[in-house]
Amino acid sequence: MSSANPNIRLFVENDLSEEAGFLIDGHQGHYLMNVMRMKEGEVVALFNGRDGEWMARLEKTGKGRAEVRVLGQIEEQSPEPDLWYLFAPVKRARLDYMVEKATELGASLIWPVMTRRTNVDRVKEERLRANAIEAAEQCGRLTVPEIRSPVKLERVLLDWPEDRLILFCDEAGGEGGQDIAPLGIAVKAAEEKTGLDKWAILIGPEGGFTPEERHMIRQHPQSVAVTLGPRILRADTAAVAALALWQCYAGDWQ
Ligand code: SAH
């Protein structure tokens, strides 16, 4: 058995099963052949979000391309946390960072939400998807988060699915004396009260939510306001903090 190169792990769309064979070309072929300088006979790990993870051997290589033959399964597809991550997109570099962190921290869906103070008007979805795939390959998860097209906050709230709660990270804290709880307490209390256990995390833009938006979000029957402490965090910091806390209290870090 040739040396397995465990740190090369690629997300592919192809079905993965014993003896399956297919071509890897394009940027992934370039990565294998030109960046990682792989040779015929070497082995990589492949996953597709459906069939678990499989080892595959490079059989016929060419310039920037390789025919692979699937060998054996390394890991069964197993359920991963179902956590949606909604955020007001920020500038390019931070946006790449936020998608990468949301993927590493187990978000199942990444959904840019346009709010009054969102300071970007377009989001390159293909770029976000590429970031999510790369982060999924690196962190070892068996799925790549779905990237949804940006939607206005009002519309998101209007069309909100009735089986999912919204963890509203509210930097303004309690509204009109309404108390606001730390995440762990709020999550448990809301699940008991509603009987729901599917969640989404909502993070605002650098400029924060407007008072009207804050009121609109709090009015939503499935929103749960939480504090991320006494300091005002940058949106990307808040994202990492909220995602980590959720995984700790309600996700797969338990
Ligand atoms: N510019 C605003 C803060 C926006 S921070 C201001 O100075 O008041 C960006 C987003 O991160 C906020 O909309 C909120 O969703 C989240 N956030 C930041 N700090 C937070 C905190 N201490 N508690 C809860 N959410 C917070």
Side-chain angles (χ1 to χ4, degrees), residues 148-160:
R148 268 211 192 143
S149 304
V151 172
K152 281 190 182 317
L153 176 64
E154 293 81 349
R155 174 56 57 198
V156 168
L157 294 175
L158 269 177
D159 299 347
W160 193 255

Side-chain angles (χ1 to χ4, degrees), residues 29 34 115 122 127 131 144 163 172 175 210 214-215 233 254:
N34 308 334
T115 69
R122 255 174 32 77
R127 179 188 176 90
N131 289 341
V144 172
D163 66 346
E175 177 183 63
T210 64
R214 178 167 291 108
H215 185 69
L233 312 176
Q254 286 173 9

Side-chain angles (χ1 to χ4, degrees), residues 89-250:
V90 293
K91 289 261 183 282
R92 166 80 58 89
R94 275 183 192 284
L95 184 55
D96 294 346
Y97 172 86
M98 285 169 90
V99 168
E100 184 181 70
K101 298 312 143 197
T103 303
E104 291 171 60
L105 291 169
S108 55
L109 168 69
I110 295 174
W111 194 0
V113 173
M114 308 310 272
T115 69
R116 195 76 44 79
R117 296 177 185 160
T118 299
N119 52 12
V120 299
D121 51 8
R122 255 174 32 77
V123 165
K124 289 195 167 64
E125 288 167 55
E126 265 323 296
R127 179 188 176 90
L128 300 194
R129 181 159 165 73
N131 289 341
I133 290 174
E134 199 173 323
E137 290 171 342
Q138 178 275 325
C139 76
R141 59 186 273 177
L142 289 172
T143 59
V144 172
E146 179 192 338
I147 305 280
R148 268 211 192 143
S149 304
V151 172
K152 281 190 182 317
L153 176 64
E154 293 81 349
R155 174 56 57 198
V156 168
L157 294 175
L158 269 177
D159 299 347
W160 193 255
E162 81 281 1
D163 66 346
R164 193 175 290 268
L165 292 160
I166 306 170
L167 206 61
F168 167 36
C169 296
D170 184 356
E171 74 276 14
E175 177 183 63
Q178 262 180 20
D179 62 347
I180 182 166
L183 194 140
I185 296 167
V187 163
K188 288 280 172 264
E191 289 187 351
E192 269 144 35
K193 190 165 134 237
T194 63
L196 298 178
D197 64 358
K198 286 184 182 177
W199 285 92
I201 287 174
L202 173 61
I203 303 270
E206 289 308 334
F209 290 107
T210 64
E212 298 73 22
E213 286 173 334
R214 178 167 291 108
H215 185 69
M216 179 175 55
I217 300 167
R218 281 176 172 275
Q219 288 305 306
H220 195 288
Q222 284 149 251
S223 81
V224 178
V226 291
T227 175
L228 295 175
R231 288 167 292 283
I232 296 287
L233 312 176
R234 290 193 71 99
D236 45 340
T237 315
V240 172
L243 286 157
L245 280 168
W246 187 88
Q247 287 295 8
C248 181
Y249 286 105

